Amino acid sequence: MSLLSAPWSLLPSGTFLTMLALFFTVFALLFDFMKRRRSWSRYPPGPTSLPFFGNILQVDFKSLTNYCTLLRKKYGDVFSMQFCWQNVVIINGLEAVKDGLITKSDDTSDRPHNLFNKKFGFKEDSAGRPFNPHLMINNAVSNVICSIVFGDRFEYDDKKFLKVLTLFEEIFKASTGILTQLTNVIPTLIHVPGVASELFRAQDNIFTFLRGIITEHKATWDPNLKRDFIDAFLEEVEKTKEDPSSAFCEINLLMTVNDLFSAGTETTSTTLRFGLLYMMLYPAIQIRVQEEIDQVIGRERNPTMDDRANMPYTNAVVHEIQRYSDIIPLGVPHKTSRDTDVNGFFIPKDTLLMFNLSSVLKDESVWARPYQFYPEHFLDADGQFIKQDAFMPFSAGRRICLGEQLARMELFLFFTTFLQQFTFFIPRDQPRPSEETTDNFIRAPVPYQLCVEVR
């Protein structure tokens, strides 16, 4: 029977189109139902989701931590959401997070597809005048990782380098947008005209900057001289150039350098910005830190890591800055590599996991004053430093931050040096700075100005 002689060809054209639309609608709804149905027992509860989109349109990703806090009150420490057809489980509280990150680490340490994840000091002429310390701290901290990776540092007035540092902030802002989240779960959206340029403009500019540095290293590379990380990587590239399966290749060098450069800059810099903010807001704590510095180190020599063991109060303040600032509240997403069980709930393979580190760092059952800046959280009755199991700013388990030790050293040495040499205070003609934060992937202080006096 030809198409023209089919029974539906006798129907009015409007009726045929209506039936066709109804058929495709029913088909799409059935397809969506089959993709999102949950037949597993003990799967975590969660809010009702919309067809096709799940909960993704209900979430303000710039305030995702607050949204998770509300859902935790309703559904408990382990609850689920749906991002289109991606199963998402959010894990909260010290016990559940430890179970997921540490006890079940072998099951929960995969990484999900993510567009932005790859596999693989103060000048004295500022004294007394208000200024924003943001870029100055970024530059100082970044130069530490630059010395390791690039074998060189950049001057504070290097405009090209300062531009690159601001591009990282654009990337973190873009990573929390709804377009990024939709493209993470529907990767084919990247082929829609304009999407790639919107999402990757800042990243492409950073890659251009890094490619220039790598090209210069290749041109001046000497196998008998290792100047930095790039030289060491290029040596491995040369050794394995005949092995097509080797991970030592130029694209992985670019990606690894990018990861080290970005991870080694933004988090430590942001934590130090919070630290100076808190010293302004809590001058009595600043004075007590400076008294301990004067007693243990004095003002003539530079602080060293050996001093930390003799400075319990300063060490406690640095830890409290990390706890209270809580700069990566939901950590970096994980994915289950196989079916597992967390805190009594069944979680299937390939589920996206988000560990709410904020719920641990602000756990009311652990911390005496979770929503206050209180260094005594890390001091015993005798004023000696104590470790806390709930201190997880670097996450935990197999996916704990690889740069934890470097970051700990940087935070202690930068912070101690700052307070050894300077006193920070609120500009006299300005109101008290806010403790509110900008909630992107990395939580940062609202821009503020401070004044500094040389001690």
Side-chain angles (χ1 to χ4, degrees):
M1 181 181 292
S2 69
L3 179 63
L4 291 177
S5 62
W8 51 76
S9 65
L10 303 177
L11 295 173
S13 60
T15 303
F16 172 70
L17 291 176
T18 299
M19 293 179 64
L20 189 64
L22 181 61
F23 169 77
F24 280 113
T25 300
V26 171
F27 174 80
L29 289 172
L30 286 173
F31 176 78
D32 178 64
F33 172 76
M34 295 299 293
K35 289 283 288 184
R36 297 195 296 128
R37 67 175 181 167
R38 299 168 178 171
S39 58
W40 315 293
S41 61
R42 297 185 297 111
Y43 188 72
T48 302
S49 60
L50 299 172
F52 305 108
F53 294 103
N55 303 110
I56 203 166
L57 299 181
Q58 304 166 15
V59 178
D60 180 358
F61 285 94
K62 293 184 179 180
S63 300
L64 183 56
T65 309
N66 293 335
Y67 185 66
C68 288
T69 299
L70 294 175
L71 293 183
R72 182 189 183 191
K73 292 179 180 178
K74 183 173 183 179
Y75 298 107
D77 283 349
V78 182
F79 60 85
S80 64
M81 287 194 287
Q82 194 82 24
F83 292 170
C84 295
W85 299 311
Q86 172 68 64
N87 296 316
V88 181
V89 170
I90 292 82
I91 300 174
N92 307 263
L94 178 59
E95 294 308 316
V97 168
K98 285 173 62 178
D99 189 27
L101 282 178
I102 300 174
T103 307
K104 305 295 170 50
S105 184
D106 288 344
D107 302 340
T108 64
S109 295
D110 272 8
R111 289 289 193 215
H113 167 81
N114 190 297
L115 293 173
F116 295 95
N117 284 347
K118 311 300 180 297
K119 291 186 178 180
F120 300 24
F122 296 99
K123 299 179 181 179
E124 291 189 14
D125 59 9
S126 295
R129 294 187 290 107
F131 69 100
N132 186 329
H134 186 170
L135 286 180
M136 192 176 294
I137 293 178
N138 258 22
N139 194 307
V141 171
S142 185
N143 270 328
V144 174
I145 198 67
C146 286
S147 298
I148 297 171
V149 178
F150 307 148
D152 201 359
R153 64 181 301 281
F154 294 88
E155 296 299 326
Y156 285 80
D157 56 357
D158 188 315
K159 292 183 179 179
K160 185 177 180 180
F161 183 59
L162 291 174
K163 175 61 178 176
V164 170
L165 294 180
T166 62
L167 290 173
F168 282 120
E169 295 182 42
E170 292 185 29
I171 292 173
F172 290 129
K173 289 179 182 178
S175 69
T176 60
I178 185 65
L179 180 60
T180 301
Q181 304 307 320
L182 281 171
T183 309
N184 278 335
V185 295
I186 311 177
T188 54
L189 289 178
I190 200 68
H191 302 296
V192 175
V195 171
S197 59
E198 172 70 19
L199 294 177
F200 295 125
R201 185 194 64 80
Q203 185 66 76
D204 286 345
N205 287 334
I206 291 176
F207 281 159
T208 298
F209 172 76
L210 296 177
R211 284 192 189 99
I213 294 175
I214 292 172
T215 299
E216 182 181 343
H217 271 68
K218 288 170 63 179
T220 58
W221 182 64
D222 180 350
N224 299 312
L225 176 65
K226 290 190 183 69
R227 296 167 292 184
D228 48 43
F229 174 84
I230 294 177
D231 276 356
F233 200 104
L234 288 174
E235 180 179 3
E236 296 303 317
V237 172
E238 181 66 21
K239 288 180 181 178
T240 60
K241 63 182 179 182
E242 303 301 329
D243 181 4
S245 65
S246 172
F248 291 100
C249 57
E250 289 194 21
I251 186 62
N252 279 0
L253 172 58
L254 176 64
M255 297 303 181
T256 303
V257 168
N258 175 72
D259 288 347
L260 291 171
F261 184 39
S262 59
T265 297
E266 197 63 31
T267 53
T268 301
S269 169
T270 301
T271 304
L272 285 169
R273 285 160 52 205
F274 272 115
L276 297 189
L277 173 64
Y278 299 150
M279 293 304 97
M280 280 199 305
L281 297 178
Y282 304 100
I285 293 176
Q286 179 174 200
I287 290 171
R288 189 170 170 185
V289 170
Q290 289 174 327
E291 289 174 346
E292 187 174 66
I293 291 172
D294 291 347
Q295 178 182 355
V296 176
I297 303 172
R299 303 191 192 180
E300 302 303 320
R301 70 172 178 87
N302 294 326
T304 70
M305 287 306 296
D306 290 337
D307 295 318
R308 186 170 61 175
N310 300 316
M311 302 174 68
Y313 189 76
T314 302
N315 196 15
V317 169
V318 172
H319 278 69
E320 182 66 358
I321 291 169
Q322 292 179 267
R323 185 202 70 83
Y324 189 56
S325 61
D326 184 17
I327 68 168
I328 308 182
L330 290 174
V332 180
H334 289 225
K335 187 178 74 172
T336 51
S337 57
R338 58 193 178 199
D339 292 353
T340 190
D341 187 287
V342 174
N343 215 42
F345 288 97
F346 172 75
I347 302 178
K349 179 183 177 181
D350 293 330
T351 298
L352 188 151
L353 297 177
M354 301 175 73
F355 290 91
N356 189 349
L357 301 181
S358 184
S359 71
V360 178
L361 295 173
K362 304 285 175 62
D363 194 320
E364 295 180 7
S365 67
V366 175
W367 308 100
R369 302 179 185 179
Y371 302 106
Q372 296 180 29
F373 185 74
Y374 188 62
E376 284 74 10
H377 284 139
F378 296 93
L379 296 170
D380 64 17
D382 298 320
Q384 296 303 304
F385 180 81
I386 53 173
K387 295 181 178 180
Q388 297 282 8
D389 287 344
F391 181 72
M392 292 186 182
F394 300 102
S395 191
R398 288 178 57 188
R399 286 288 188 173
I400 193 169
C401 175
L402 291 177
E404 177 183 4
Q405 294 307 315
L406 176 61
R408 285 179 179 273
M409 289 190 291
E410 286 183 299
L411 288 173
F412 178 79
L413 293 176
F414 270 109
F415 181 76
T416 305
T417 301
F418 287 163
L419 269 68
Q420 179 193 45
Q421 302 296 328
F422 306 103
T423 296
F424 302 92
F425 59 92
I426 300 171
R428 292 182 176 86
D429 60 343
Q430 295 185 18
R432 177 183 173 89
S434 171
E435 293 187 49
E436 294 296 316
T437 62
T438 58
D439 288 336
N440 296 311
F441 171 72
I442 291 183
R443 176 180 284 167
V446 172
Y448 65 86
Q449 290 194 323
L450 54 71
C451 280
V452 58
E453 285 184 349
V454 179
R455 298 184 67 210

